[in-house]
């Protein structure tokens, strides 16, 4: 048999309700049985009492018939009284036969009823004889008592038996009432004890997990993820507790992971700050190098302009020499001086070209550090190189 807390809450409550329903049905059955039995016994007692009343009435009619016989001996005319009393006796006998006497009592009455009919006929004959010949009737006066004793004894025995039966039925009815009441009280008491015996552990099996879940929820509200319900029952509360424990385990794992990620993020933030500082420093160096490269580029531009001016002057000189070949030696000497001057300019141009090569190397080195500076330096070198081609 499974433990109580492994049974579903609905089944446990249904068990209590079922026991209550069975208890009510049992009490209702006991009451219906008791009422039916008591009603039957009550009808039996009522029939017996009606039979007793009819027997008493019949006994009274027999006594009146006897009195009628004695009155006839006194010379009284009792003819009509006898007729009425005989009719009353017959009606009383019919009432006894129709009453609720038991089968045995009815059989006894059926057996003795002819004696009452004979007694009525004897009284009728006796009163008629007394009316015509009172002396002869007086001789038979003893038969009145003898015949009356027979019917009285039979009625007395039947009345006693009927009274005893009625008393016994009354006792049985009282016993049935007491038994029904006692049985109902016993069944109600046992049912109540059974319901209490089941209700107490049922309430405990529900309240204990609910209170434990309340503790877990209070701890969760306070931010404590280490408290567990530790409920292992197989009912709905146990399933809910198990789900809550698993949820808390997952939540705690998630919080642990988040804490570890936060630590890693803090460390990465520190490293990123250091990298940012390094980048800022590199950016400062790059700015300085960019400014230096810009100054060198300006210098290169000025040198190229000087070379261009010299080239223009040399071209003018060459054209002047070609137009004035016929001029004098002085002019030739001037031309020689100019040629020497041009050689000096060319020498300067070579030095400038060497300087340009050094600057290009510097720009190339800077371009390896910063793409933007490399692009600018390339543009400037391209510009310088184009002007150099023009000069060449």
């Amino acid at each position: 048999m499974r433990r109580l807390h492994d049974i579903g809450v609905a089944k446990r409550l249904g068990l209590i309700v079922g026991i209550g329903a069975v208890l009510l049905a049992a009490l209702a059955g006991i009451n219906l049985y008791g009422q039916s039995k008591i009603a039957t016994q009550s009808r039996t007692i009522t029939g017996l009492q009606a039979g007793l009343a009819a027997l008493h009435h019949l006994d009274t009619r027999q006594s009146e018939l006897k009195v009628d016989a004695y009155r006839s001996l006194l010379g009284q005319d009792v003819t009509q009284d006898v007729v009425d009393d005989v009719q009353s006796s017959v009606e009383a006998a019919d009432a006894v036969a129709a009453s609720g006497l038991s089968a045995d009592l009815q059989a006894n009455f059926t057996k003795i009823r002819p004696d009452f009919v004979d007694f009525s006929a004897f009284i009728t004959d006796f009163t008629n004889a007394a009316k015509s010949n009172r002396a002869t009737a007086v001789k038979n006066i003893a038969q009145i008592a003898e015949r009356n004793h027979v019917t009285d004894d039979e009625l007395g025995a039947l009345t006693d038996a009927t009274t005893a039966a009625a008393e016994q039925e009354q006792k049985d009815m009282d016993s049935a009432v007491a038994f029904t009441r006692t049985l109902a009280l016993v069944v109600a008491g046992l049912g109540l004890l059974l319901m209490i015996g089941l209700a107490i552990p049922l309430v405990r099996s529900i309240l204990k997990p609910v209170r434990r879940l309340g503790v877990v929820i209070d701890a969760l509200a306070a931010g404590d993820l280490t408290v567990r319900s530790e409920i292992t029952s197989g009912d709905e509360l146990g399933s809910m507790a198990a789900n809550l424990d698993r949820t808390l385990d997952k939540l705690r794992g998630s919080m642990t992971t988040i804490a570890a990620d936060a630590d890693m993020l803090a460390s990465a933030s520190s490293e990123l700050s250091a990298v940012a500082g390094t980048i800022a420093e590199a950016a400062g160096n790059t700015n300085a190098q960019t400014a230096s490269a810009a100054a060198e580029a300006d210098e290169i531009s000025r040198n190229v302009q000087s070379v261009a001016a010299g080239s223009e002057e040399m071209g003018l000189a060459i054209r002047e020499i070609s137009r004035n070949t016929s001029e004098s030696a002085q002019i030739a000497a001037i031309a020689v001086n100019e040629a020497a001057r041009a050689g000096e300019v060319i020498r300067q141009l070579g030095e400038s070209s060497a300087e340009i090569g050094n600057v290009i190397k510097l720009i190339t080195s800077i371009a390896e550090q910063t793409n933007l500076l490399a692009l600018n330096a390339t543009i400037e070198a391209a510009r310088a190189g184009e002007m150099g081609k023009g000069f060449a």
Side-chain angles (χ1 to χ4, degrees), residues 229-372:
S229 65
E230 299 178 356
I231 298 174
T232 59
S233 60
D235 57 357
E236 293 85 349
L237 294 175
S239 177
M240 182 173 61
N243 292 332
L244 179 60
D245 290 343
R246 285 194 295 270
T247 301
L248 290 175
D249 291 336
K250 292 180 181 179
L251 183 59
R252 185 180 181 185
S254 299
M255 295 302 294
T256 302
T257 302
I258 292 173
D261 292 342
D263 293 337
M264 293 177 62
L265 182 61
S267 177
S269 298
S270 300
E271 294 178 359
L272 183 61
S273 298
V275 172
T278 303
I279 292 174
E281 183 178 357
N285 294 333
T286 301
N287 290 332
Q289 292 177 359
T290 301
S292 176
E296 293 294 337
D298 291 338
E299 183 66 24
I300 290 171
S301 178
R302 287 193 297 270
N303 291 332
V304 169
Q305 290 176 359
S306 298
V307 171
S311 298
E312 185 178 359
E313 290 178 358
M314 186 178 68
L316 291 174
I318 292 172
R319 287 193 298 272
E320 185 67 23
I321 291 171
S322 63
R323 287 192 302 266
N324 297 314
T325 55
S326 60
E327 289 182 358
S328 61
Q330 185 177 0
I331 295 173
I334 293 172
V336 170
N337 292 331
E338 291 294 331
R341 183 180 175 184
E344 181 64 20
V345 171
I346 291 171
R347 185 184 61 77
Q348 293 178 357
L349 181 60
E351 293 178 355
S352 297
S353 297
E355 291 179 358
I356 289 171
N358 293 330
V359 170
I360 290 172
K361 291 180 180 179
L362 177 61
I363 292 173
T364 301
S365 176
I366 294 172
E368 291 176 354
Q369 298 180 7
T370 306
N371 290 333
L372 180 62

Side-chain angles (χ1 to χ4, degrees), residues 365-390:
S365 176
I366 294 172
E368 291 176 354
Q369 298 180 7
T370 306
N371 290 333
L372 180 62
L373 293 178
L375 178 62
N376 292 332
T378 301
I379 294 171
E380 295 298 331
R383 289 177 179 176
E386 186 66 29
M387 295 179 69
K389 282 177 69 177

Side-chain angles (χ1 to χ4, degrees), residues 202-253:
L202 173 62
V203 171
R204 289 179 178 176
S205 65
I206 294 176
L207 287 181
K208 184 177 180 181
V210 170
R211 289 172 180 171
R212 183 58 186 172
L213 288 174
V215 172
V216 175
I217 293 173
D218 290 341
L220 178 61
D224 187 0
L225 301 178
T226 61
V227 180
R228 298 292 181 270
S229 65
E230 299 178 356
I231 298 174
T232 59
S233 60
D235 57 357
E236 293 85 349
L237 294 175
S239 177
M240 182 173 61
N243 292 332
L244 179 60
D245 290 343
R246 285 194 295 270
T247 301
L248 290 175
D249 291 336
K250 292 180 181 179
L251 183 59
R252 185 180 181 185

Side-chain angles (χ1 to χ4, degrees), residues 37-51 100-102 165-166 169:
K37 187 174 182 179
I38 292 170
T40 301
Q41 291 174 334
S42 178
R43 287 193 297 270
T44 302
I45 292 173
T46 301
L48 291 173
Q49 290 176 347
L101 295 178
S102 64
E169 285 295 331

